[in-house]
Amino acid sequence: MKTKLGFIAVSSVIVLAIIIIFAVSIKKREQPVEPKDMQVKADSGLVEDENINMGEVPEQVIPIEPEPAETLQVSFAYVKDLTFWNDRIAAGTEGGVFTYKPEDSSYQFFYYANGLKEYNVNALLQVEDKLIVGTQGGLAQIDQAGNIENIEFGFEPPVTALAESQGSLLIGTAKDGLIAYQDGTGQQILKVLDILSVEASGDQIWVSTAGHGLYSFDGMKWKKRFLVDDTTAFDYVADLGIKFQRLFAGTAYGLYVFDGGRWSLYNEEDGLMICDVRHIDFKGWKIVVGTNDWGIYEIFEDCVTPRAWSEGMDVTALASNDDYTVVGTPHEGIYIADGDNISHINPTPQTFTRPIVASIH
């Protein structure tokens, strides 16, 4: 009997132990298990922060990078206009203005790096001691000290030609015609597109265009000029010059001359072998013309003489005075003729840096 009671008691204890173990196991399975990345090991030395929001990125201090910049190189080899500026020769180029002093062979550059905001130069003109600069982006002036000042003339660039008439600056443009600028105010006086050249003498003004004709102003009204036997001859006139009480017009057919009553023409029959006249200037009593692909000619008393040193040269600009004849080229800077002495001036390209303007899209 005692043996049976002992066996029953032991069995009861075993069954109770199994029930307790089973219950503890169920309770553990009901408790949520923390993700491994949220658990902190006891020996890690880290303290768990109950307030951390795992969906946010903590703030960081980011060092400020220097403003990016680009390095540019501008060339002064493509000469688009030439003029004499006191004792210097000034060349307007795609890269800006460079000046050369024959007396001591010194250079000076005016471009983006020293304040000429738009440095693709189309036209130059000396007014008093200042150099007026017409560019793709507008108008500026440079004084003898090298200070550059932008001029707001009230109309749209590019500026393509410059002249002076009775105290007014005449500004030829590609889109807004001819502007007369005086005392800080600009006024449109001729509405025509694509002006190439402007010349003035007394109260007369002449304007040539690229494809839109030749115009003259006699102090009272404007007239469009053409030949009776060839009404298209003056549609495209590359350059104009006024001297000896005559107007000279450079065209693809040769050099036209107007004496106030009739027109005459210098062409291949007169010895002007390449008739595409692009530029006109004067040297004493001589007429100097630059052509598209055969350099320059001098005309004196109806005698046309090619200058041999310029043979084959593409003349993109021309300036002459009693001392020098200066020729601009598309790739090689300028050539200066002093009698039979020819100098070649091809300035070194200039390098500068400017900030890159970030664009927001």
Side-chain angles (χ1 to χ4, degrees):
M1 185 68 180
K2 286 182 179 181
T3 301
K4 290 182 178 180
L5 290 175
F7 176 77
I8 292 171
V10 171
S11 299
S12 299
V13 171
I14 292 172
V15 171
L16 180 60
I18 291 172
I19 292 172
I20 292 171
I21 290 170
F22 182 75
V24 170
S25 175
I26 292 175
K27 185 176 181 180
K28 284 186 177 181
R29 284 200 297 270
E30 289 176 351
Q31 292 179 350
V33 179
E34 291 182 320
K36 289 184 180 180
D37 57 356
M38 289 293 290
Q39 296 175 8
V40 179
K41 295 181 180 179
D43 59 352
S44 68
L46 299 177
V47 178
E48 185 176 4
D49 186 351
E50 298 179 353
N51 297 320
I52 289 180
N53 184 346
M54 294 303 293
E56 296 180 358
V57 178
E59 292 185 0
Q60 299 180 19
V61 177
I62 302 174
I64 298 176
E65 296 291 336
E67 186 176 9
E70 59 181 340
T71 300
L72 301 177
Q73 189 176 75
V74 295
S75 171
F76 297 83
Y78 182 13
V79 181
K80 303 175 74 174
D81 198 16
L82 286 164
T83 194
F84 292 94
W85 182 24
N86 294 331
D87 59 349
R88 292 179 260 183
I89 297 165
T93 77
E94 279 192 330
V97 177
F98 83 88
T99 65
Y100 176 77
K101 189 182 293 187
E103 179 183 337
D104 59 9
S105 302
S106 61
Y107 291 92
Q108 194 169 8
F109 296 93
F110 303 94
Y111 61 116
Y112 186 93
N114 53 13
L116 191 62
K117 293 181 180 178
E118 172 55 62
Y119 48 88
N120 192 342
V121 176
N122 298 317
L124 298 173
L125 177 69
Q126 178 174 336
V127 176
E128 297 176 346
D129 281 340
K130 296 179 179 179
L131 184 67
I132 309 300
V133 182
T135 72
Q136 286 295 108
L139 194 66
Q141 66 180 19
I142 307 172
D143 66 19
Q144 287 291 296
N147 300 307
I148 299 173
E149 179 184 346
N150 293 305
I151 301 173
E152 295 295 335
F153 64 98
F155 291 86
E156 188 174 354
V159 174
T160 54
L162 294 168
E164 189 179 14
S165 175
Q166 300 180 334
S168 291
L169 177 63
L170 300 179
I171 306 167
T173 70
K175 301 177 182 179
D176 277 345
L178 183 65
I179 311 303
Y181 179 83
Q182 189 172 21
D183 299 327
T185 302
Q187 178 184 358
Q188 186 185 59
I189 59 175
L190 176 65
K191 188 175 181 179
V192 64
L193 295 174
D194 300 321
I195 291 177
L196 290 178
S197 182
V198 180
E199 286 288 331
S201 178
D203 58 0
Q204 284 195 329
I205 302 172
W206 288 82
V207 175
S208 71
T209 69
H212 305 286
L214 176 66
Y215 299 83
S216 69
F217 180 73
D218 61 5
M220 298 293 293
K221 61 181 179 180
W222 287 95
K223 295 179 182 178
K224 185 173 182 179
R225 312 306 292 252
F226 56 89
L227 299 175
V228 174
D229 57 349
D230 186 357
T231 58
T232 64
F234 299 146
D235 282 356
Y236 190 111
V237 177
D239 197 20
L240 297 171
I242 295 178
K243 190 82 169 181
F244 319 124
Q245 297 182 339
R246 286 170 170 77
L247 174 81
F248 299 84
T251 74
Y253 313 107
L255 179 67
Y256 281 93
V257 184
F258 182 60
D259 64 5
R262 66 184 183 89
W263 292 90
S264 58
L265 175 65
Y266 289 97
N267 58 17
E268 66 274 5
E269 295 179 2
D270 303 287
L272 195 61
M273 292 177 288
I274 301 299
C275 292
D276 193 356
V277 176
R278 299 292 181 91
H279 303 280
I280 303 166
D281 214 324
F282 307 94
K283 188 178 184 68
W285 290 96
K286 296 178 181 178
I287 307 157
V288 185
V289 299
T291 65
N292 182 38
D293 55 7
W294 204 104
I296 63 172
Y297 292 80
E298 292 181 349
I299 304 173
F300 178 67
E301 293 184 347
D302 291 338
C303 180
V304 179
T305 305
R307 295 299 304 270
W309 61 267
S310 68
E311 183 176 357
M313 189 178 293
D314 183 2
V315 178
T316 57
L318 176 66
S320 293
N321 63 12
D322 291 340
D323 298 318
Y324 304 106
T325 296
V326 189
V327 176
T329 68
H331 307 293
E332 300 173 343
I334 62 175
Y335 289 83
I336 304 173
D338 179 6
D340 293 330
N341 183 27
I342 311 301
S343 302
H344 179 211
I345 312 300
N346 195 9
T348 303
Q350 302 296 298
T351 301
F352 68 98
T353 58
R354 66 179 179 185
I356 298 175
V357 179
S359 58
I360 300 174
H361 299 285

